[in-house]
Amino acid sequence: MALCLLAGSGCSSDAGARVAPSSQVTVSMPATRLPGLHYAWVPMPGQLPAESDPRVLDPQFRARLQAALDRALQAKGYQLAPSVAQADFLVAYRVGVRDGEEVMLRNEGVGSQPTPQATVECNSNGCSQMVVPGGDGAPVMDLRRARYVEGALQVEVIERSSIKVVWRALNRGTVSRNDGGATRLDAIARETLAQLPAATP
């Protein structure tokens, strides 16, 4: 599984970072219908270090995330069963996050209007304004470090009788500080389950 999406708190990002898209959903196991109307939750043990991050192990965060997934499932016509034994199918998810960093060349000079700190370095390939004076006065590359949080939410639907996965989706991308709120979690749940087939009586 790719690294995971969603964090309750402590996320940081650079607004100008050229990192992964805010969200990208991939359905690796599509289905035209699910085996019934009633579902029950089952745990999916973590397998990656990102799934052990304290930001996604927080019980309150996981309760909010599961409640958001419940609302998305019920909007498609499915109903939470009183117990696993009374469910037609099972639903499981895994989630985790990791911190990342991207190093980029900074180029704030545009055309004939370079920024005051920029200097020009010329060689056989032409001139560049992406350098600044180093500690000894020699030109050095002007690098920008953008920190971000990356992650993904994976949801699986499992046929209860055969314990076979019949539908799977992965929602991955970058995370903002507010992604642990109820409104954003609802949006992420809807995105992740958008291609889940609606309930058929």
Side-chain angles (χ1 to χ4, degrees):
M1 185 193 76
L3 292 168
C4 291
L5 180 76
L6 312 173
S9 62
C11 301
S12 61
S13 64
D14 187 319
R18 293 174 297 175
V19 294
S22 58
S23 65
Q24 178 181 351
V25 179
T26 304
V27 176
S28 59
M29 189 171 291
T32 56
R33 62 180 299 168
L34 299 188
L37 301 177
H38 297 88
Y39 70 94
W41 289 100
V42 292
M44 185 184 292
Q47 298 177 352
L48 299 174
E51 297 173 67
S52 299
D53 190 294
R55 290 171 289 188
V56 296
L57 290 179
D58 175 63
Q60 293 182 349
F61 164 72
R62 297 185 80 88
R64 293 196 305 270
L65 173 58
Q66 188 165 312
L69 290 167
D70 275 326
R71 288 189 288 272
L73 285 163
Q74 289 160 17
K76 285 184 169 285
Y78 297 104
Q79 301 172 27
L80 184 62
S83 67
V84 170
Q86 294 171 276
D88 300 308
F89 61 91
L90 310 174
V91 184
Y93 74 88
R94 65 172 80 242
V95 63
V97 292
R98 74 167 182 180
D99 298 307
E101 182 180 75
E102 184 174 5
V103 180
M104 300 168 288
L105 285 172
R106 187 194 303 271
N107 184 13
E108 295 179 350
V110 179
S112 61
Q113 302 295 324
T115 54
Q117 77 274 14
T119 182
V120 176
E121 178 185 44
C122 295
N123 54 37
S124 59
N125 296 320
C127 295
S128 170
Q129 294 178 12
M130 293 184 290
V131 295
V132 293
D136 58 358
V140 296
M141 301 303 290
D142 184 13
L143 298 179
R144 175 188 184 190
R145 297 181 183 276
R147 293 181 176 85
Y148 59 94
V149 179
E150 181 188 20
L153 167 67
Q154 179 176 297
V155 177
E156 291 185 351
V157 173
I158 304 160
E159 186 178 52
R160 188 175 67 86
S161 58
S162 65
I163 315 299
K164 176 184 176 183
V165 176
V166 296
W167 188 87
R168 178 188 292 124
L170 175 67
N171 189 349
R172 63 172 299 181
T174 54
V175 185
S176 72
R177 186 178 298 274
N178 298 322
D179 279 355
T183 300
R184 181 59 184 141
L185 288 178
D186 280 338
I188 290 170
R190 288 194 302 270
E191 290 172 359
T192 307
L193 301 180
Q195 298 181 56
L196 185 77
T200 303

